[in-house]
Amino acid sequence: MNHEENKIMAHRQHVKYFMRFLNILPSSLSSHDTTRVTIAYFSVSGLDVLGAISSVSLDLRTRIIEWIYRLQVHPDKNNGDMSMCGFQGSSTINIDLDPPNNHYRCGHLAMTYTGLCILLAMGDDLSRVNRKALVAGVKALQTEEGNFAATLSGCESDMRFVYCAACVSYILNDWSGFNIEKATDYIIKSIGYDYGIAQCPELESHGGTTFCALATLSLTNQLHKLSEQQVEGLKRWLLFRQVDGFQGRPNKPVDTCYSFWVGASLKILDMLQYSNYGANRRYVYETQDTVVGGFSKWPDTCTDPMHTYLGLAGLSLIGESGLLEIEPTLNITKRAYEHLKSLHAKWDNEDLHVL
Amino acid sequence: MSDSGDSDVAWTYYKDRPEWNDVTPVPEDEGPNLVVVIAHSEKFVDVYDYFRAVLQNNEKSERALHLTKDAVELNPANYTVWQYRRDLLKALGTDLRSELDYVELVIKNSPKNYQVWHHRRVLVEWLQDPSQELELTGDALMQDPKNYHAWQHRQWAIKTFGLYEKEMDFVDNLITDDVRNNSAWNQRYFIVNNHLGWSDLNVQREICYTLEKIKFIKNNESAWNYLKGVLIHDKRGLSGNAVVTSFCEELYKNKCRSPYLLAFIIDICDEAIKKGETNCLHNATRAVELCQALATKYDKIRSKYWNYMCEKFKKAQQEEENNKEKAANMDE
Ligand SMILES: [Zn+2]
C-alpha cells in the first residue's frame, strides 16, 4: 500500500463502509447474531464522528430508531416485573414467552447502553424509553461483589458491564439502580500491582478494562477515591502502553482500538496531551483501508466496524481535523452528548412540574 | 466461528426431519424495519427457527438438547442457547461429565469466547469438581499464553478450590519460556498474594528471582513492574532494600539505560524525597537528570511525560537547595 496516500483520511470510503454495515452483513458474521445492536452503534457513531450523520437518509434514520425501540423489553404484563427490562441485541429471541421461560427475553447491558447511544446520535428524544423499567433492569444485574452481569439469564459479570451499567444510569439520569459505593469498591479492588485495572480483582491489568473502570469513576464522580499514588501509577501505566500506537497490556502487540481505550483513559485523567500524537496517528493510519474504507487492528489485516469506529474515535481524541469531538466517558460525540444534556434539562423541568 | 453452511453434505434440515414434524418452526420476527441484517445461511435459519419453537414450547427433551448443540455450533456466542442448554441438562438429569468433555471441545475451537468459559464454570460449580481445570486452562495457555479468558477461569478455579500447590511450577515454566509474558508474572503475584504470603523471606526470594530475570533481559517492563509490586510488601519501601538499590546502581554504572531502569531509579528518588530521606544517589537533582535523559534520549516517545515529571522534581530540587542554603547559613 502507498504509505504517503495512507496518511490522508479516506473519509468518503469510511462513510460508505459504515453504510454497508447498517444495511446487510455477510453470513460469516453469524456469530454476531445476538449483538447486532453493537454493530449498529459502531456504524452510527462512526458516521457521527465523521460528521456524516446527515448522510443517513430520513428513511434509514426512522428505520434504525424503530428497530431499536422494537428491541426494548417491557415490564411483565402479568406481574409488572421489570428485572428483565433493557434492550436486546437482536430479534433472535424477540418472541412471546410464557413463564417459566419469559426471563429468556431479557435486556443485555451492553445492548441497552449502545442502543441508547444510537438513539442519541440519531437525535431521538428517548420519549419511548421506559426509563423506570430500564433502571430496574440495571438494578437487577448488580452482584454482591459490586460488579454487574450482562443479562438475567446466565451470563458472566465483570468490569465491562459495570461500565455499561454506569453509562445507562448516566444517560437516564437516574442512579437508583446502581450502587455507586459497591461498584467503586469493586473497581479499586481490581487495580493491579502495576496500577492498571483488570476485568476483576487480581487478574492482569488491561487497557480496555482500565477504560471501563476510569470512565465509570468519572461518570459517578468518584475519581477522588483514587489515592495520589494510584493516580500517578495509572498515568504511568497508561502512557507506557504507547509503543507507536498503543498496546492493551505490557509486552503485547499494538492494536488500533487502544488508541481509543488508552487514549480516552488518559483524557479522563487529563494526561492525553503527554502522549505522542504523531506516532499514535501514524500507527492508526497504517491500519486504514483506503480502498474500501475501514480500519483494522493491525496493518494489512481485515477491517471491522469496531476497530474502524475506535480508530476514528482515537484520532478524534488527538484532534484530527475533519472529525467531530468525542466525549470520552460515554464514547459518543460531543454533538450527541449535548443533545443528551438538553434532554436531561427537559426531564428536570418535567419533574419540577410534577412537584 | 463461521457458519459451515452448505459445505457438509450429509446435513438434513430440521424441517425435513420426520421426528420433528410435530413442531411448528418459529421464524425470527425482524419487524418491518430491516437494519444490520445478517444474511444467515439456510441452515442457520432452520436451526434457529426450531430453537425458538422449542423455547416457546418449553420443550425439555433429548432432541432439544441435541438441537442446542447445533445452535451453538452455528453461533457459540448465543448466551440464550447456552442457558437453555443448562436448563435442559438439569431437567433431563444428563451426565454432566460428558457435558464437561463436550464443552472442552467447544473451548478448543473457540478459546476466546465468553459464553463457553461461563458454561464451563457453571458445570464445575454444579459438580464441585475442579480436577480437570488446571489441565484444560493449561492446554489453552499452551496455544496462547496470554489468553485472558483462560487465565480468568484458572484464577477462579484456583481461588475457589484452593489449587495453589503446583501453580508456582506452572508459572516458572511459562516465565522460562517467555520472560516477557506479563500474564505469567501477574499469576506469580496472584500465588504469592493468596497462598505463599509476603513474609520477609518470600519478599526477598521474589526479589532475587526477579533480579535474575532482569539481568537476563533488562528491557522487560513485566519484570520491572513485578519488582515494584513485590516491594509494596517490603516495609522499607522501594528505596530501603539495599539489594535492589545496589543492583540498579550496578546496572546504571554498566551503562544500562533501559527506560524501565531509569524510571525505577526515579521512583526511588521520589520515595526518598517524600520520606525526607534523600541521599547522594537518590534525590531530586538525580531525578531531574534522569527525567531529562529519558525525555531527550532514552524514551523519546514519552518525552512530554518525562518533562512533566521533570517539572515536579524541579520544585523538589528547589526545596532541596533552599534547605542546603539554610543549613549552610546556620553553619556560618
Ligand atoms: Zn483491538
Side-chain angles (χ1 to χ4, degrees):
Chain A
M1 188 163 293
N2 183 335
H3 284 271
E4 273 313 302
E5 173 185 309
N6 204 13
K7 281 178 195 152
I8 302 158
M9 174 75 65
H11 194 278
R12 200 167 39 89
Q13 286 89 329
H14 298 318
V15 171
K16 276 193 185 162
Y17 181 86
F18 286 131
M19 284 297 191
R20 276 200 300 277
F21 275 96
L22 279 176
N23 280 305
I24 194 148
L25 315 176
S27 70
S28 59
L29 290 176
S30 280
S31 65
H32 295 274
D33 180 54
T34 59
T35 53
R36 280 164 53 202
V37 168
T38 62
I39 298 178
Y41 159 74
F42 292 131
S43 306
V44 168
S45 274
L47 290 168
D48 199 5
V49 75
L50 284 163
I53 213 79
S54 57
S55 56
V56 177
S57 67
L58 196 61
D59 168 61
L60 179 58
R61 178 178 171 272
T62 311
R63 262 159 58 204
I64 294 170
I65 292 174
E66 295 308 313
W67 177 64
I68 295 288
Y69 274 122
R70 246 184 131 254
L71 295 172
Q72 184 173 204
V73 178
H74 293 285
D76 190 300
K77 283 188 203 87
N78 301 313
N79 58 19
D81 181 15
M82 299 194 283
S83 60
M84 67 285 223
C85 292
F87 289 142
Q88 295 184 288
S90 72
S91 40
T92 310
I93 314 292
N94 201 355
I95 45 170
D96 284 325
L97 294 167
D98 298 323
N101 279 354
N102 49 352
H103 63 278
Y104 275 110
R105 185 181 189 172
C106 61
H108 182 295
L109 272 179
M111 308 307 143
T112 309
Y113 155 55
T114 50
L116 288 170
C117 290
I118 293 170
L119 292 176
L120 288 172
M122 295 274 93
D124 182 74
D125 63 2
L126 307 189
S127 60
R128 282 182 280 164
V129 171
N130 188 337
R131 275 142 59 194
K132 229 174 98 185
L134 255 56
V135 168
V138 168
K139 194 182 179 116
L141 297 173
Q142 189 163 22
T143 70
E144 252 325 290
E145 242 190 309
N147 65 7
F148 285 79
T151 73
L152 267 188
S153 69
C155 252
E156 69 280 0
S157 55
D158 57 45
M159 196 65 81
R160 292 171 300 156
F161 305 119
V162 175
Y163 169 67
C164 295
C167 288
V168 172
S169 305
Y170 186 94
I171 291 170
L172 301 178
N173 207 13
D174 184 341
W175 291 91
S176 59
F178 187 108
N179 185 324
I180 293 177
E181 203 176 317
K182 271 191 183 174
T184 306
D185 185 51
Y186 178 80
I187 290 170
I188 289 179
K189 279 193 180 127
S190 303
I191 300 178
Y193 60 83
D194 56 6
Y195 296 103
I197 308 177
Q199 190 75 276
C200 67
E202 302 199 85
L203 214 58
E204 186 185 5
S205 301
H206 188 288
T209 49
T210 300
F211 166 78
C212 290
L214 284 177
T216 301
L217 291 178
S218 175
L219 290 168
T220 54
N221 278 319
Q222 299 294 304
L223 278 169
H224 64 276
K225 290 282 166 67
L226 298 171
S227 69
E228 193 204 332
Q229 195 166 16
Q230 284 167 335
V231 172
E232 292 307 312
L234 270 161
K235 290 176 182 175
R236 169 86 60 88
W237 188 86
L238 287 163
L239 285 165
F240 267 54
R241 302 287 55 78
Q242 183 160 28
V243 177
D244 39 31
F246 288 86
Q247 61 189 184
R249 300 181 249 167
N251 291 322
K252 286 273 284 182
V254 165
D255 172 341
T256 290
C257 67
Y258 295 107
S259 287
F260 178 78
W261 302 127
V262 178
S265 302
L266 285 166
K267 183 97 182 176
I268 290 167
L269 295 176
D270 196 21
M271 285 301 283
L272 185 60
Q273 66 272 28
Y274 297 106
S275 67
N276 187 319
Y277 289 7
N280 181 10
R281 181 175 185 276
R282 263 191 305 281
Y283 178 78
V284 175
Y285 269 101
E286 271 178 51
T287 65
Q288 177 180 232
D289 185 328
T290 53
V291 180
V292 292
F295 290 80
S296 48
K297 61 176 176 173
W298 298 325
D300 304 315
T301 49
C302 264
T303 62
D304 62 76
M306 183 182 94
H307 286 89
T308 304
Y309 171 65
L310 293 174
L312 290 168
L315 287 173
S316 161
L317 288 175
I318 56 172
E320 184 76 3
S321 66
L323 296 179
L324 263 61
E325 213 180 316
I326 288 277
E327 174 64 30
T329 49
L330 288 179
N331 200 359
I332 56 178
T333 61
K334 278 258 153 62
R335 190 195 65 82
Y337 183 72
E338 291 308 326
H339 174 54
L340 172 65
K341 284 287 147 187
S342 75
L343 294 181
H344 284 182
K346 198 173 126 203
W347 295 344
D348 283 347
N349 258 329
E350 285 166 5
D351 288 348
L352 281 176
H353 285 296
V354 174
L355 291 174
Chain B
M1 193 186 287
S2 69
D3 175 354
S4 47
D6 309 326
S7 59
D8 44 350
V9 189
W11 180 260
T12 312
Y13 292 113
Y14 277 82
K15 61 183 179 216
D16 298 330
R17 296 183 191 190
E19 71 271 28
W20 280 89
N21 68 10
D22 58 317
V23 173
T24 311
V26 178
E28 178 174 2
D29 181 8
E30 287 256 34
N33 303 291
L34 299 179
V35 272
V36 211
V37 177
I38 301 178
H40 293 302
S41 68
E42 204 179 335
K43 178 178 173 183
F44 189 103
V45 173
D46 176 64
V47 167
Y48 276 89
D49 286 355
Y50 278 82
F51 175 70
R52 274 182 289 274
V54 159
L55 190 65
Q56 207 160 42
N57 301 337
N58 193 24
E59 178 178 322
K60 299 281 166 61
S61 64
E62 284 298 332
R63 68 175 185 179
L65 189 67
H66 193 85
L67 173 70
T68 58
K69 215 177 212 174
D70 286 330
V72 291
E73 195 174 303
L74 290 162
N75 178 14
N78 190 317
Y79 50 90
T80 310
V81 177
W82 282 111
Q83 178 62 27
Y84 194 64
R85 184 168 174 88
R86 284 190 288 275
D87 280 0
L88 287 166
L89 291 171
K90 275 217 157 151
L92 301 172
T94 311
D95 174 21
L96 295 177
R97 309 252 154 216
S98 63
E99 185 69 5
L100 273 183
D101 295 340
Y102 164 63
V103 74
E104 181 174 345
L105 259 162
V106 185
I107 286 175
K108 290 219 156 95
N109 287 320
S110 310
K112 291 197 173 172
N113 168 305
Y114 284 97
Q115 286 71 35
V116 290
W117 286 102
H118 180 71
H119 189 64
R120 180 79 188 188
R121 176 162 159 174
V122 175
L123 292 176
V124 173
E125 274 172 344
W126 283 355
L127 284 163
Q128 282 297 301
D129 174 11
S131 59
Q132 296 177 58
E133 300 322 288
L134 295 184
E135 200 185 323
L136 173 82
T137 51
D139 287 348
L141 293 171
M142 282 252 276
Q143 300 297 313
D144 174 6
K146 300 175 182 181
N147 180 336
Y148 210 81
H149 304 268
W151 281 113
Q152 188 165 8
H153 186 77
R154 191 173 179 93
Q155 283 200 352
W156 167 78
I158 290 175
K159 220 171 170 175
T160 310
F161 299 98
L163 311 176
Y164 295 97
E165 223 44 63
K166 293 179 190 149
E167 191 61 3
M168 204 46 131
D169 294 336
F170 180 75
V171 166
D172 264 341
N173 284 332
L174 282 177
I175 293 179
T176 307
D177 284 351
D178 174 15
V179 75
R180 289 191 169 91
N181 183 344
N182 197 61
S183 311
W185 285 99
N186 185 72
Q187 187 73 347
R188 193 170 182 95
Y189 191 91
F190 170 80
I191 305 161
V192 182
N193 205 38
N194 288 291
H195 181 58
L196 303 173
W198 297 107
S199 63
D200 290 349
L201 193 72
N202 285 344
V203 168
Q204 209 53 45
R205 198 200 51 231
E206 287 310 297
I207 287 171
C208 291
Y209 177 87
T210 311
L211 297 184
E212 274 307 310
K213 299 296 176 192
I214 293 175
K215 238 187 243 170
F216 174 52
I217 290 182
K218 292 163 192 81
N219 210 28
N220 177 10
E221 183 181 355
S222 300
W224 284 103
N225 282 349
Y226 184 73
L227 181 63
K228 269 177 83 176
V230 172
L231 286 167
I232 294 171
H233 306 280
D234 189 321
K235 290 175 218 62
R236 296 160 299 180
L238 274 187
S239 53
N241 190 308
V243 178
V244 175
T245 48
S246 59
F247 174 86
C248 292
E249 294 310 330
E250 199 56 34
L251 279 184
Y252 190 83
K253 243 187 259 163
N254 289 323
K255 305 269 185 299
C256 172
R257 292 294 181 270
S258 158
Y260 308 114
L261 168 68
L262 304 196
F264 193 85
I265 301 177
I266 288 171
D267 290 341
I268 295 177
C269 294
D270 188 40
E271 194 189 86
I273 294 164
K274 282 185 180 135
K275 282 186 174 171
E277 292 173 358
T278 52
N279 55 50
C280 58
L281 276 174
H282 303 126
N283 51 55
T285 305
R286 177 103 189 274
V288 167
E289 273 169 31
L290 290 172
C291 286
Q292 285 168 345
L294 282 162
T296 56
K297 209 166 173 187
Y298 302 112
D299 196 25
K300 281 194 204 159
I301 188 129
R302 268 167 287 280
S303 62
K304 285 182 186 158
Y305 171 67
W306 293 120
N307 287 331
Y308 153 87
M309 293 293 283
C310 193
E311 287 312 308
K312 285 187 163 188
F313 287 117
K314 274 185 181 159
K315 277 185 204 138
Q317 193 184 20
Q318 199 57 51
E319 274 165 40
E320 259 172 28
E321 256 143 48
N322 290 347
N323 290 342
K324 262 189 224 158
E325 238 168 73
K326 258 186 225 159
N329 288 342
M330 284 217 278
D331 286 346
E332 278 169 22

